[in-house]
Amino acid sequence: MKKITLFIVLAMSVNAFSQDAIIPLWPKDKTPNAVASDEKEVHERKDILRISKVQEPTIEVYLPSKKNATGQAMLIFPGGGYHILAYDWEGTDVAKFLNSKGIAGIVVKYRLPSSVSQTKQEDVPLIDAQRALRLVRSKAETFHIDPNKIGAMGFSAGGHLASTLGTHFEEKVYAPIDAIDALSARPDFLALCYPVITFDQSSTHKGSQFNLLTKNPNPGALERFSNEKQVTANTPPTFLLHATDDKAVPVENSLAFYKALVENDVPATLHIYPTGGHGFSLGLKDPYLRTWTDNLCEWVRSLE
């Protein structure tokens, strides 16, 4: 019996990070801006898994085999208008795809703005995004990734959060709680897929704006979170993806961010497809649109 037990323990230790793992972002009772409430996290599965009212933010880690690993990693922020997370459609499905290309895929279950469960709710998604990047960087050796090859990828409102992380990574939105928070929160590259970018133009996605900032935003909040206005020369190299016929989040969002990147001499690539609408994820059912993932992976390789 002892031999069997020892074998199981050894097998578990060997495979601990060859498979996915879910890790809390914050130590127990130390989540910034959290308020005790009666809200409960909701998981609703129909055609996709929708998560709302997130109470415990986490990262879910998917790693390729060591033999296939490139050393690169991508944090993935699912979209959902800052109201829900399209968790598998724009999260775990994407992570598994990236694994097939040797890239670690790490899905961030970030908190969504709530007037009940949080203080300063507009800061909360960015707080979780900064912590997620730092946490992954702190575990680079464990995950067999290069701490200088960690990107942030987001879809729709998740693209807004990824672009917020890429332009506000030095902003102090929470007090450090441990050594992890001494690490840089700057992504090494960004991949923004049909992203919400601006809150200060006619192309604004009102749902994301209202959910993050409320219908009565704090002074300066619209400009602060219009990320095309926050680009600097230190913004990470960026891959942008959009469809011309996107009626929910107009293509002007990606165009505005691309223009700002070019003006600041930040390496950028922009792929605009004529059709696809909004929320097409991997685009697997469209023989033309599905090529975007190849473009992404070739671009990521070009950064090495």
Side-chain angles (χ1 to χ4, degrees):
M1 186 58 119
K2 290 182 179 179
K3 289 182 179 180
I4 294 174
T5 302
L6 178 60
F7 172 80
I8 292 172
V9 170
L10 287 172
M12 288 175 65
S13 65
V14 168
N15 290 311
F17 285 103
S18 62
Q19 302 172 11
D20 55 287
I22 297 177
I23 303 171
L25 285 186
W26 306 98
K28 186 176 177 58
D29 298 326
K30 291 190 176 181
T31 304
N33 294 43
V35 175
S37 75
D38 293 330
E39 274 192 336
K40 303 295 182 185
E41 188 165 306
V42 177
H43 291 227
E44 182 182 16
R45 185 179 291 280
K46 291 183 180 178
D47 53 340
I48 65 173
L49 173 59
R50 293 171 171 83
I51 300 179
S52 58
K53 300 180 180 178
V54 173
Q55 299 300 304
E56 183 182 26
T58 61
I59 54 172
E60 185 165 355
V61 182
Y62 289 81
L63 301 179
S65 66
K66 276 188 181 181
K67 199 164 185 177
N68 280 326
T70 65
Q72 295 165 317
M74 189 83 82
L75 270 69
I76 305 164
F77 297 92
Y82 284 120
H83 176 62
I84 62 103
L85 302 179
Y87 193 76
D88 49 4
W89 178 243
E90 295 173 343
T92 55
D93 284 0
V94 178
K96 293 170 188 175
F97 164 76
L98 291 173
N99 278 186
S100 74
K101 303 298 183 180
I103 301 168
I106 300 165
V107 185
V108 185
K109 188 183 73 172
Y110 56 93
R111 286 175 293 162
L112 300 160
S114 168
S115 60
V116 176
S117 297
Q118 301 155 12
T119 60
K120 297 182 179 178
Q121 68 176 52
E122 67 188 45
D123 288 341
V124 166
L126 176 58
I127 288 171
D128 286 352
Q130 286 188 358
R131 176 68 177 191
L133 200 294
R134 289 172 170 138
L135 179 61
V136 170
R137 189 157 272 146
S138 76
K139 293 184 177 295
E141 185 175 354
T142 302
F143 295 163
H144 308 296
I145 61 175
D146 187 326
N148 299 311
K149 294 182 179 180
I150 302 172
M153 178 180 196
F155 296 79
S156 192
H160 183 265
L161 180 53
S163 69
T164 304
L165 179 61
T167 53
H168 296 70
F169 52 86
E170 291 183 322
E171 189 172 332
K172 298 186 184 304
V173 285
Y174 69 96
I177 63 168
D178 55 26
I180 291 172
D181 290 325
L183 299 175
S184 171
R186 181 185 183 272
D188 295 296
F189 48 91
L190 298 174
L192 309 179
C193 305
Y194 41 89
V196 177
I197 293 293
T198 187
F199 287 157
D200 199 25
Q201 296 183 17
S202 59
S203 54
T204 295
H205 182 249
K206 291 295 185 182
S208 296
Q209 177 187 317
F210 292 162
N211 287 328
L212 182 65
L213 305 181
T214 77
K215 292 186 178 181
N216 297 296
N218 292 324
L222 291 176
E223 179 160 350
R224 177 189 175 203
F225 288 104
S226 290
N227 291 326
E228 80 281 9
K229 297 182 176 183
Q230 309 306 326
V231 172
T232 70
N234 202 28
T235 300
T238 302
F239 173 100
L240 288 149
L241 168 73
H242 228 114
T244 303
D245 66 348
D246 190 332
K247 303 302 183 186
V249 179
V251 69
E252 284 78 9
N253 282 266
S254 284
L255 291 172
F257 201 73
Y258 178 79
K259 182 175 183 289
L261 292 166
V262 171
E263 289 174 348
N264 284 274
D265 295 321
V266 176
T269 185
L270 171 63
H271 294 268
I272 300 178
Y273 288 77
T275 60
H278 187 72
F280 50 77
S281 182
L282 296 172
L284 297 179
K285 294 185 177 180
D286 186 315
Y288 181 43
L289 192 61
R290 69 189 179 198
T291 62
W292 82 259
T293 52
D294 294 328
N295 293 328
L296 170 67
C297 292
E298 289 302 321
W299 177 78
V300 170
R301 288 190 189 99
S302 76
L303 300 174
E304 293 181 354

